[in-house]
Amino acid sequence: MNDQTPLSQNIPAGQATPPGQAMPLDQATPLDQATPLDPQPLDPQPVDPQPVDTSPSAHPRNFGSDNWAGAHPEVIAAITDANVGHTPGYGGDPWTARLGEVMKGHFGPSAQAFPVFNGTGANVLALQSALPRWAAVITAASAHINYDETGAPEKVGGLKIIGAATPDGKLTPEIIEGAVLGRGNEHNAQPLAVSISESTEWGTTYTPEEIRQIAETAHRLDMILHVDGSRLGNAAAYLNTELGSLTTATGVDIISLGGTKNGLLGAEAIVVLNPDIGQGMKFLRKMNLQLSSKMRFLSAQLGALYDGELWRTSASHANTMAQRLAAGLAEAAATGRAPDISIVAKTESNVVFVHMPEEVAARARQKFAFADWPMAKNVVRLMCAFDTTAEDVDDLIAAIVEA
């Protein structure tokens, strides 16, 4: 899902202007007119660092992305607990060994887990490890691997991405079959994989039966099924099911398992479910700059999230806040308090898509940040996170519907 801040997004009043903005050239002092610099002392006096304002008012919760949220306190505690003594690097540590057992508990005894740094890296590496260079991957046009990864699966992974149009971000067996073109033709990249996002970039979810039908279609057509599970926890929480019930039990072959969007500091994982694929992972992870030397700190975070119910608790809370937001806005529209807004997609995870006039969005952005959705005109995306509060939601609703 697109988590970048569009240029049209305003920064709410009272928040810091993003750093790194250069001075316009017409305001810069020409070099030949610059004041000569005074000679610097050999031992300059240290400059006292400016204090950082850590008060909640200086860093308010917003709805730009669940990536904007901080790390969960239990995750920070897990990192601190892992910061002891010396232990083998590159995954030879007890935290990574424990994570492997945790993943088997969720996804079955054949599951193999490989911690990585980020979601794009997980997607590229997962697909690259399972496919030959001449492969193509069928996915929804709105999918992250097609729209939001700067072509990384193609440029880094060496794979062709085929983006198929969907009404709600979800592939179907019929859409997949219609996208299988050029099979056996040496002039075409060969469709050898299907990739679905769970939940999708439109916030919709696939039921276990829908994934099973997609897996059966993919396997019948000699393709594997990859799941971009950056928000797999949100989907499982919404559907009140287990992680393995959405993946292993339905015939999924390989997963990009999310963590950062559900409260981790910066850790994701690839989970290989099909033992017939992914044999080159240990080499490709290093080659793709995704092998952590101090892997214990990635594994400790993932363990904090998945060795227990934190993943479900955090995802369920974010989903509940999104449901509260959608219900509040729908009620405001139905009662005439906000007649020009409407919910444009099912709220099945932690995101609400709202059609609203530009002037309404501009007014609400005086208090809260959120993103324009580039795939539909006058549609904004409102993301909830593990730390979004009911007060945050109610204040946003008030900012949107106030006269």
Side-chain angles (χ1 to χ4, degrees):
M1 184 179 290
N2 179 8
D3 291 317
Q4 301 180 38
T5 302
L7 293 178
S8 60
Q9 177 173 322
N10 297 329
I11 302 297
Q15 296 191 47
T17 301
Q21 293 184 356
M23 177 185 293
L25 291 178
D26 59 358
Q27 297 180 22
T29 303
L31 290 177
D32 59 359
Q33 299 179 22
T35 302
L37 295 176
D38 293 332
Q40 295 298 309
L42 294 178
D43 186 18
Q45 295 299 310
V47 177
D48 292 334
Q50 294 298 312
V52 177
D53 187 351
T54 58
S55 64
S57 61
H59 302 278
R61 284 179 290 265
N62 277 290
F63 295 83
S65 171
D66 40 8
N67 280 334
W68 286 31
H72 195 285
E74 291 186 33
V75 172
I76 297 297
I79 295 172
T80 301
D81 291 344
N83 192 31
V84 292
H86 288 203
T87 193
Y90 301 104
D93 59 88
W95 292 269
T96 302
R98 173 58 188 164
L99 177 64
E101 295 306 309
V102 170
M103 291 295 102
K104 291 179 189 296
H106 283 297
F107 300 106
S110 297
Q112 301 178 70
F114 300 87
V116 294
F117 293 115
N118 53 54
T120 296
N123 286 335
V124 171
L125 184 53
L127 293 168
Q128 189 184 44
S129 72
L131 299 170
R133 290 275 293 179
W134 55 88
V137 181
I138 297 172
T139 192
S142 58
H144 207 270
I145 62 170
N146 183 55
Y147 188 80
D148 281 310
E149 294 184 349
T150 322
E154 298 190 337
K155 295 178 173 64
V156 178
L159 305 166
K160 172 64 177 174
I161 303 298
I162 299 173
T166 66
D168 55 1
K170 295 169 63 174
L171 292 177
T172 64
E174 294 74 22
I175 292 174
I176 293 166
E177 290 176 345
V180 178
L181 303 174
R183 180 63 66 85
N185 189 329
E186 65 183 291
H187 299 286
N188 299 103
Q190 298 299 290
L192 296 178
V194 174
S195 178
I196 62 173
S197 300
E198 178 72 313
S199 57
T200 73
E201 283 66 28
W202 276 102
T204 51
T205 61
Y206 293 90
T207 66
E209 180 56 30
E210 288 172 328
I211 298 176
R212 183 177 293 108
Q213 292 178 11
I214 288 173
E216 290 174 353
T217 301
H219 295 157
R220 174 170 53 81
L221 296 172
D222 296 321
M223 297 188 289
I224 67 161
L225 176 57
H226 163 256
V227 169
D228 179 349
S230 64
R231 295 184 177 92
L232 184 64
N234 296 93
Y238 173 78
L239 295 166
N240 193 28
T241 188
E242 301 298 326
L243 299 171
S245 299
L246 285 174
T247 53
T248 311
T250 59
V252 172
D253 295 291
I254 191 167
I255 311 166
S256 301
L257 182 63
T260 310
K261 292 177 173 61
N262 206 11
L264 299 196
L265 182 61
E268 315 276 320
I270 299 159
V271 185
V272 180
L273 304 180
N274 181 349
D276 295 330
I277 66 174
Q279 291 88 346
M281 186 73 72
K282 64 181 293 186
F283 307 106
L284 289 168
R285 184 166 50 162
K286 177 74 170 185
M287 190 172 73
N288 283 345
L289 317 180
Q290 290 291 325
L291 180 65
S292 173
S293 56
K294 297 186 178 182
M295 195 178 294
R296 59 169 146 166
F297 296 110
L298 301 186
S299 300
Q301 293 181 65
L302 289 158
L305 187 62
Y306 290 108
D307 194 358
E309 289 293 300
L310 182 60
W311 69 269
R312 186 186 297 277
T313 301
S314 295
S316 294
H317 176 79
N319 290 356
T320 298
M321 293 300 98
Q323 292 287 345
R324 183 186 185 98
L325 177 57
L329 291 176
E331 190 272 339
T335 58
R337 293 186 296 128
D340 297 327
I341 69 169
S342 59
I343 310 297
V344 298
K346 295 179 181 178
T347 304
E348 297 180 344
S349 57
N350 61 322
V351 60
V352 183
F353 288 93
V354 184
H355 182 277
M356 66 174 63
E358 293 181 3
E359 61 273 16
V360 176
R363 183 182 67 231
R365 284 190 172 118
Q366 298 303 308
K367 296 182 179 179
F368 291 98
F370 48 85
D372 291 321
W373 186 236
M375 299 183 189
K377 183 176 176 57
N378 290 339
V379 170
V380 301
R381 188 191 72 166
L382 308 174
M383 293 292 312
C384 297
F386 76 90
D387 61 350
T388 303
T389 68
E391 182 180 7
D392 296 330
V393 170
D394 294 345
D395 287 349
L396 175 60
I397 293 171
I400 292 172
V401 305
E402 69 180 8

